[in-house]
Amino acid sequence: MGLREKVLVGQNECGVGFDIGNENCVIAAVKERGVDVLLNDESKRETPAIVCFGEKQRFMGSAGAASAMMHPRSTVSQLKRLIGRKFVEPQACEGSDGEVLVRIKYAGGIHTFSIVQIIAMLFAHLKEIMEKNMGMPISDCVIGVPSYFADWQRRAYLNAASIAGLKPLRLIHDCTATALSYGIYKSDFSNRGPTYIAFIDIGHCDTQVCIASFKSGQMKILSHGFDCNLGGRDFDEILLVHFAEEFKQRYGMDVYSNTKASLRLRAACEKLKKILSANVEAPLNIECLMDKKDVEGRIKREEFEKLVSGLLERITAPCKKALADARLSAESIHSIELVGSGSRIPAISKMLVTFFGREPSRKLNASECVARGCALQCAMLSPAFRVREYEDLTVCCSQKASLRRSSSFYLESFYANADVLPLDTSVNIGSFMIGPLKGSHGEKTRVKVRIQLNLHGIVSVDSATLAEDNAHSSVAGEDTGQNAERVKSDFTSVNDHPENDISASLTSAHDMGRERAIKKHKILVNAKIEGGITEVDLTEYKEKEAQLSQQDRIVEQTKERKNALESHVYETRNKLLNTYGSFASDSEREGISMSLQQTQDWLYDEGDDEIENAYDLKLNDLKKVSFFCFTFSNIVPFFLSDDDCLFNSL
């Protein structure tokens, strides 16, 4: 299915996809003419995933990256690695349930934010970029997430999006989005059988692999593999350590003791890594890194590869896992598609060539393929589009259980294999209280429970019903224990299901007998999710975000009015001396010049930090002073702005 085969139903609709990277974010939109990557205010296709708190306002995205050096202790980055993690860092503080909280000095006080709130701020910024590009309010979207994200990390993303005013139609795995953007345009798949493609995404903080099977008009994700602690930043870190040690020996400076110096050296190491991707040797030069000392260094690609040899050896591990789960050999893979910001290191390609026996392909845009796939998925899910049928066999799953109970009980969900979970992630997902059982009259009756893994990859008890019977048959495997009201739902590890990464099975006995139901009653289900936030907290976060957004708007408007006043002073002085000088007498020029100078002095002194209204009043007063010039007994209206300049000689 090509984009020209897509029919747009609504003229003012679009499908939007967000790729929330650890370092940068990309926004893509499906419009009437195709898939476009949206530009930010700096006309860049990638927006830094940074939130910086200034003295009066927040700076996000590119502005946050530019302000990070000025406010290193109030800048939050690496958000993708922080979401869903427990408190481990001394710079952070701990929430009531062990989550990481960020304490920031901002707007004259100390504020504490959860990581969900910080990511919501980033989402709000991306939403603003999106709506500026599209010229209309938009909420529906699809968001890319790593395949290793646990249940409550996914819920955290959904909560953050909700706080920002977004409505995610689906959380889709990064590699699944890449596979969708690959397969939806390709029409030359073989008719002799499925085509197996390995997608390897080496991002800033992680490595993800998926094996996908393609046929004409059809896609199926067979397996996933990942290393959530292997990405481009780890290669940067090794270079940082290398040069920090070198500079300590050569220049006697401890880079780690200075936050700004560490940030500058890290940025220089990242740039050095990119240079080594195309050159066998690269220099490193930083002026006034620390203690007013300039530093320089040099490294060869061969030396760099020796330093990172331990990381390179880990590249093939998720590939082996994905192949094993897909029950395929490396030889059966038809193509390897390599993407991600960290995929450009030549040594990585060499490792993959050795493992798969063929050169990886780089046909897809390494930085934009996830966002494009998310946008396409949004168009497919949105009712505003009619899309030619493309079958994605990677769908959500559900399981039904029939139980015999006489009173309230609960199901408990957890990950069976904790070894594959990210560090600091709880094996518990949550518990679901089912009851009370009205109409059971204290006797055991049949309860049907439907457990679902939805499009977001989140586990929930979708429904529970109670059936009153008019005949009681013997029940095979009936649980006759007096205290058997607790039923454990064993959701396997996040890597066992090819797409949603979780599959469900019940360890309780099922009702296998023959019964005739007379009445069915819906049963109340109360969920208690591990690490989840309450509706009260969510409402509070939304109100807080609205307040902070309003504060940012006020600060920006105040800056605009201050700049308008300053511009008016300089423009009026220039016009008075040149364009309109002959229309004013000496005394008039002197009076206007004095007013301009007084306003300028005020701007750079007590007026440097004023409210918006103060600048408006000064501007109006200044315009009144210079409104009329009296010369040669003629009254000349003296409008100094270009828009309303008009002279009527009498």
Side-chain angles (χ1 to χ4, degrees):
M1 182 195 66
L3 286 177
R4 58 181 174 272
E5 298 168 315
K6 194 184 310 297
V7 180
L8 187 66
V9 174
Q11 292 296 319
N12 294 322
E13 299 291 342
C14 68
V16 178
F18 294 104
D19 175 17
I20 310 297
N22 192 56
E23 185 180 32
N24 293 304
C25 303
V26 180
I27 314 169
V30 174
K31 296 183 286 186
E32 193 169 8
R33 291 173 303 208
V35 181
D36 291 339
V37 170
L38 306 184
L39 305 181
N40 59 23
D41 292 339
E42 290 74 30
S43 297
K44 295 181 179 179
R45 301 170 77 87
E46 297 184 29
T47 299
I50 291 178
V51 177
C52 175
F53 293 83
E55 295 179 0
K56 289 186 174 182
Q57 69 179 121
R58 302 170 300 171
F59 301 99
M60 289 165 283
S62 299
S67 304
M69 289 294 178
M70 297 292 294
H71 308 92
R73 295 188 179 277
S74 57
T75 299
V76 188
S77 60
Q78 309 283 315
L79 302 180
K80 192 174 178 180
R81 290 180 58 81
L82 290 174
I83 191 72
R85 297 298 180 90
K86 297 299 183 181
F87 170 75
V88 290
E89 296 294 335
Q91 292 83 0
C93 54
E94 185 176 9
S96 58
D97 58 355
E99 67 172 326
V100 176
L101 299 178
V102 179
R103 186 178 289 118
I104 296 291
K105 186 178 181 181
Y106 167 66
I110 302 297
H111 297 258
T112 301
F113 300 102
S114 69
I115 300 302
V116 170
Q117 286 179 280
I118 300 293
I119 292 183
M121 296 174 192
L122 181 62
F123 271 133
H125 178 65
L126 298 178
K127 183 175 186 288
E128 182 181 355
I129 294 174
M130 171 185 66
E131 293 181 340
K132 280 184 179 179
N133 275 267
M134 307 308 297
M136 58 182 173
I138 299 172
S139 59
D140 288 356
C141 63
V142 168
I143 302 172
V145 297
S147 58
Y148 57 80
F149 259 19
D151 188 273
W152 79 290
Q153 289 174 301
R154 297 165 190 266
R155 293 179 187 271
Y157 257 49
L158 292 177
N159 287 330
S162 175
I163 294 168
L166 291 171
K167 181 184 176 183
L169 302 180
R170 181 183 182 184
L171 298 183
I172 187 172
H173 292 162
D174 295 332
C175 284
T176 302
T178 301
L180 183 62
S181 63
Y182 173 88
I184 204 167
Y185 297 111
K186 202 169 176 64
S187 58
D188 57 348
F189 291 115
S190 173
N191 294 325
R192 292 175 294 178
T195 300
Y196 300 113
I197 309 294
F199 295 93
I200 303 175
D201 186 345
I202 302 174
H204 185 251
C205 70
D206 56 20
T207 294
Q208 300 180 71
V209 180
C210 90
I211 308 296
S213 170
F214 292 95
K215 293 181 182 178
S216 180
Q218 186 185 96
M219 177 189 82
K220 183 178 182 181
I221 302 299
L222 301 179
S223 63
H224 282 287
F226 58 84
D227 187 333
C228 55
N229 293 299
L230 176 61
R233 68 185 295 277
D234 298 289
F235 291 86
D236 300 339
E237 186 69 24
I238 287 180
L239 284 173
L240 174 66
V241 172
H242 170 76
F243 283 107
E245 292 177 355
E246 181 179 321
F247 294 161
K248 190 172 186 178
Q249 294 175 2
R250 288 176 58 187
Y251 302 103
M253 64 172 62
D254 182 7
V255 176
Y256 295 116
S257 65
N258 187 299
T259 303
K260 289 185 179 180
S262 297
L263 291 173
R264 293 185 64 196
L265 180 56
R266 185 182 296 276
C269 288
E270 183 181 2
K271 189 178 296 183
L272 182 71
K273 178 191 68 179
K274 294 177 180 178
I275 296 174
L276 286 174
S277 297
N279 301 273
V280 295
E281 189 175 7
L284 184 145
N285 299 287
I286 307 176
E287 294 182 356
C288 297
L289 176 63
M290 186 176 168
D291 301 330
K292 298 182 180 180
K293 292 181 181 179
D294 300 339
V295 298
E296 61 179 8
R298 184 172 291 273
I299 190 171
K300 294 182 178 180
R301 184 191 291 175
E302 183 181 0
E303 183 182 0
F304 169 64
E305 291 178 357
K306 288 181 180 178
L307 290 173
V308 300
S309 59
L311 297 178
L312 294 173
E313 291 174 358
R314 292 165 53 187
I315 291 292
T316 58
C319 299
K320 293 177 181 177
K321 181 67 167 61
L323 285 173
D325 289 348
R327 298 181 179 179
L328 296 173
S329 63
E331 292 75 19
S332 60
I333 301 299
H334 294 83
S335 177
I336 303 102
E337 296 295 330
L338 185 58
V339 299
S341 60
S343 65
R344 300 178 177 91
I345 300 174
I348 291 178
S349 295
K350 293 178 184 177
M351 293 292 293
L352 294 175
V353 168
T354 302
F355 181 78
F356 286 99
R358 68 189 64 187
E359 190 75 28
S361 171
R362 296 178 182 270
K363 296 177 183 177
L364 295 171
N365 187 300
S367 302
E368 299 176 359
C369 55
V370 173
R372 290 177 179 273
C374 290
L376 287 168
Q377 177 70 106
C378 185
M380 295 168 73
L381 295 174
S382 173
F385 290 89
R386 283 201 304 267
V387 181
R388 188 177 183 182
E389 186 176 350
Y390 187 83
E391 191 174 8
D392 180 2
L393 297 181
T394 311
V395 294
C396 52
C397 64
S398 63
Q399 180 172 339
K400 293 182 179 178
S402 184
L403 312 171
R404 300 286 292 184
R405 287 294 180 269
S406 59
S407 60
S408 299
F409 63 98
Y410 65 90
L411 300 178
E412 193 174 76
S413 57
F414 56 89
Y415 293 104
N417 188 358
D419 294 337
V420 300
L421 293 172
L423 294 176
D424 309 316
T425 301
S426 172
V427 296
N428 294 320
I429 296 175
S431 60
F432 304 90
M433 176 62 71
I434 300 173
L437 307 185
K438 296 179 180 179
S440 64
H441 307 296
E443 298 180 357
K444 286 193 175 182
T445 187
R446 185 172 59 181
V447 178
K448 289 187 176 181
V449 180
R450 185 172 182 265
I451 303 167
Q452 186 181 32
L453 193 65
N454 62 21
L455 274 175
H456 304 306
I458 290 176
V459 177
S460 65
V461 173
D462 188 54
S463 64
T465 58
L466 180 145
E468 287 189 68
D469 308 324
N470 63 351
H472 298 281
S473 302
S474 61
V475 179
E478 180 179 341
D479 182 3
T480 58
Q482 296 298 317
N483 299 316
E485 295 182 351
R486 179 176 180 179
V487 182
K488 291 189 177 180
S489 180
D490 180 5
F491 298 103
T492 59
S493 74
V494 294
N495 199 38
D496 290 342
H497 192 275
E499 159 59 6
N500 296 305
D501 293 333
I502 307 170
S503 61
S505 62
L506 291 176
T507 59
S508 177
H510 286 194
D511 183 3
M512 304 298 292
R514 182 181 178 184
E515 301 174 7
R516 293 192 299 263
I518 299 176
K519 294 181 181 179
K520 290 185 178 181
H521 305 281
K522 287 187 177 181
I523 306 174
L524 184 65
V525 178
N526 288 316
K528 183 179 181 182
I529 305 301
E530 180 74 19
I533 62 176
T534 65
E535 288 296 328
V536 174
D537 289 338
L538 189 60
T539 301
E540 181 183 339
Y541 290 167
K542 289 180 179 180
E543 293 174 353
K544 182 68 173 179
E545 175 60 25
Q547 294 172 3
L548 294 175
S549 297
Q550 178 65 16
Q551 172 67 16
D552 291 341
R553 283 192 291 270
I554 291 173
V555 173
E556 284 299 319
Q557 290 171 2
T558 302
K559 286 181 180 179
E560 290 175 2
R561 302 315 300 159
K562 180 182 178 182
N563 291 337
L565 176 59
E566 187 177 30
S567 296
H568 186 82
V569 168
Y570 285 104
E571 289 174 7
T572 303
R573 182 179 286 128
N574 180 63
K575 291 176 180 179
L576 185 65
L577 295 176
N578 298 291
T579 309
Y580 305 132
S582 60
F583 292 94
S585 64
D586 292 342
S587 61
E588 289 168 342
R589 283 195 299 270
E590 183 179 351
I592 295 173
S593 296
M594 183 178 297
S595 297
L596 293 174
Q597 188 61 47
Q598 290 173 348
T599 303
Q600 182 176 327
D601 294 341
W602 177 82
L603 265 175
Y604 299 146
D605 192 8
E606 64 266 24
D608 182 59
D609 185 15
E610 270 288 355
I611 61 174
E612 179 183 356
N613 189 48
Y615 298 119
D616 286 336
L617 290 174
K618 285 286 183 181
L619 182 60
N620 291 333
D621 291 343
L622 197 59
K623 287 182 177 180
K624 288 178 182 178
V625 171
S626 55
F627 192 76
F628 290 103
C629 284
F630 297 90
T631 179
F632 303 114
S633 301
N634 290 333
I635 300 177
V636 181
F638 190 23
F639 298 89
L640 295 178
S641 66
D642 293 335
D643 295 334
D644 56 5
C645 184
L646 175 66
F647 292 89
N648 294 319
S649 298
L650 301 178

